[in-house]
Amino acid sequence: MTDPADVPLRIAIATNDLETLNAHFGSCRSFALWEVSAKSARFVEAVGFDETTDQGGKHDDSADRIAPKVEALTGCALLFVLAIGGPAAARVVRAGVHPIKRKEPEPISAIVAQVQDMLNGNVPPFLRKVLGRPAPSFLEEETR
């Protein structure tokens, strides 16, 4: 039987250099995709994008640049970005991915470590379902 702590969670990080969370959803050059469990983490792939926005808030309505990015998130549970617009966030959420906005750029290694810390602690209910972990009993909650 598989240890629940070994079940990986796939995350996506908006990046322009594959080392740092440093991009907005619409303007990122790529997503760094990672599989993270409580005990391990591994880089899966970088999904690159040719068409991006300029981060100025104005978008060209003639081209749907959101769809390829949402499609690239297939299988992911979390998306880390510096910013994401309302319509894009709605599409990401409808795809079953939880967007997480950060205020400042951070090393991808720090994001991965934070996800591991979360998975080793009290996992939020929406992630428990994704990971197939049962909800802890009240007694387990009290002992943490």
Side-chain angles (χ1 to χ4, degrees), residues 52-125:
T52 61
T53 62
D54 65 5
Q55 294 188 177
K58 303 234 185 226
H59 300 283
D60 178 7
D61 292 333
S62 66
D64 182 3
R65 293 184 179 100
I66 296 173
K69 290 187 175 178
V70 173
E71 188 175 309
L73 296 172
T74 300
C76 292
L78 302 176
L79 165 66
F80 291 86
V81 297
L82 288 183
I84 186 169
R91 287 174 71 176
V92 167
V93 169
R94 275 196 305 274
V97 181
H98 185 81
I100 299 173
K101 292 192 294 187
R102 295 295 174 92
K103 293 181 182 189
E104 299 292 330
E106 295 179 59
I108 288 175
S109 59
I111 300 288
V112 169
Q114 291 164 19
V115 172
Q116 283 187 302
D117 286 347
M118 177 189 59
L119 293 174
N120 278 306
N122 192 8
V123 179

Side-chain angles (χ1 to χ4, degrees), residues 1-5 7-9 119 123-135:
M1 182 168 205
T2 304
D3 181 352
V7 176
L9 181 69
L119 293 174
V123 179
F126 77 95
L127 285 181
R128 273 193 231 121
K129 184 176 180 181
V130 170
L131 295 167
R133 292 187 190 177

